[in-house]
Amino acid sequence: PSKKKKRLKRWLPSECLLVPISKLPSTSRMAKASKMLVAAAAVAAVCKLQNAFVPAPTGRTVPMSTAAGAAAMLGAAPAYADKIDDAAKKLSEASYPFLKEIDWTSDVYGKLPTQSPAEVMKTIDSMLKLGAAMDPAALKTGVNAHSKAFSSMDGKLVTSLADYTAVNSAIGHMIASAPASKTMDVYNAFAKFNLGSDVGPYMMSKVTQGDAEAAYKAFLEFKDVVKSTQR
């Protein structure tokens, strides 16, 4: 229905997210799922840039009290925190096979984006503003979750399912704590790079299509849950 499409467009204004993947023809599903790989590349870039601007945490473990404190400071009801955590678990389990198929040792992540330094700086600026708008406790939990995930990476740079789940949960809470407009500023900044035109198809050829589609579908479901709690 048009109402649902409008709601999704406010969150991620890309035609690849406006149609349920199960209703797309096979070739379209492959094209749309390939953009999930571009998203993975973008996330890798964000994490790399975040490491450059966010101080390293003093510890590697995140006690339950920290997560509870983050939820309290967000002003969200406990049910919201559980909602995001549950959705993160589903996303992680559904997308982990896809995650393990990606070649995280590839030098492609060091070459993207290919835009001018001035354009890249504008994107970094939008990410910094998003981070500044996030709840401090949620942001700290996210940094700690990423740091802990580094310690469980295997030789292929794939973290454990448990740490991957913690990272997704933390990201969900971080995004939910910031205004949607700030999130969209980051998305739109990356969209200008048009990575899906060549990087997407190339990376899609390196993984199993079915796993990419499952990850894409799970991501959309996770997005809806986070959006429903976002301020």
Side-chain angles (χ1 to χ4, degrees), residues 82-151:
D82 292 341
K83 209 173 179 180
I84 292 178
D85 292 341
D86 290 344
K89 185 174 185 296
K90 290 180 61 178
L91 167 63
S92 302
E93 292 175 348
S95 61
Y96 198 60
F98 164 74
L99 185 80
K100 292 189 294 184
E101 292 171 2
I102 298 174
D103 180 10
W104 296 106
T105 64
S106 171
D107 63 356
V108 67
Y109 306 110
K111 298 177 180 178
L112 296 174
T114 58
Q115 277 65 25
S116 68
E119 289 301 315
V120 174
M121 287 300 295
K122 291 179 182 178
T123 302
I124 293 175
D125 184 52
S126 66
M127 290 190 293
L128 291 175
K129 290 177 179 177
L130 172 62
M134 291 176 176
D135 173 79
L139 186 59
K140 180 179 179 179
T141 299
V143 172
N144 283 337
H146 280 81
S147 179
K148 186 174 184 298
F150 291 157
S151 67

Side-chain angles (χ1 to χ4, degrees), residues 6 12 39 56 70 74 81 98 101 106 123 129 164 183-184 203:
K6 183 178 180 180
L12 290 172
L74 285 176
F98 164 74
E101 292 171 2
S106 171
T123 302
K129 290 177 179 177
Y164 175 53
T183 305
M184 291 310 307
M203 296 184 71

Side-chain angles (χ1 to χ4, degrees), residues 19-214:
V19 183
I21 197 164
S22 61
K23 296 182 179 180
L24 294 169
S26 179
T27 55
S28 296
R29 285 205 308 272
M30 185 169 183
K32 289 359 177 197
S34 71
K35 292 189 178 182
M36 183 67 187
L37 285 150
V38 176
V43 169
V46 169
C47 290
K48 181 169 64 175
L49 290 168
Q50 183 185 52
N51 289 337
F53 292 100
V54 180
T58 56
R60 285 187 172 276
T61 59
V62 186
M64 290 299 294
S65 58
T66 301
M73 291 188 70
L74 285 176
Y80 281 175
D82 292 341
K83 209 173 179 180
I84 292 178
D85 292 341
D86 290 344
K89 185 174 185 296
K90 290 180 61 178
L91 167 63
S92 302
E93 292 175 348
S95 61
Y96 198 60
F98 164 74
L99 185 80
K100 292 189 294 184
E101 292 171 2
I102 298 174
D103 180 10
W104 296 106
T105 64
S106 171
D107 63 356
V108 67
Y109 306 110
K111 298 177 180 178
L112 296 174
T114 58
Q115 277 65 25
S116 68
E119 289 301 315
V120 174
M121 287 300 295
K122 291 179 182 178
T123 302
I124 293 175
D125 184 52
S126 66
M127 290 190 293
L128 291 175
K129 290 177 179 177
L130 172 62
M134 291 176 176
D135 173 79
L139 186 59
K140 180 179 179 179
T141 299
V143 172
N144 283 337
H146 280 81
S147 179
K148 186 174 184 298
F150 291 157
S151 67
S152 67
M153 290 191 304
D154 59 20
K156 296 182 179 180
L157 304 185
V158 177
T159 191
S160 68
L161 175 58
D163 285 337
Y164 175 53
T165 302
V167 166
N168 284 330
S169 177
I171 290 175
H173 287 295
M174 289 162 62
I175 295 298
S177 73
S181 60
K182 298 294 185 183
T183 305
M184 291 310 307
D185 287 343
V186 174
Y187 174 84
N188 290 329
F190 270 102
K192 293 177 181 179
F193 293 164
N194 195 29
L195 298 176
S197 61
D198 49 5
V199 179
Y202 167 75
M203 296 184 71
M204 185 62 185
S205 69
K206 304 297 183 179
V207 299
T208 302
Q209 180 179 341
D211 289 339
E213 291 174 356

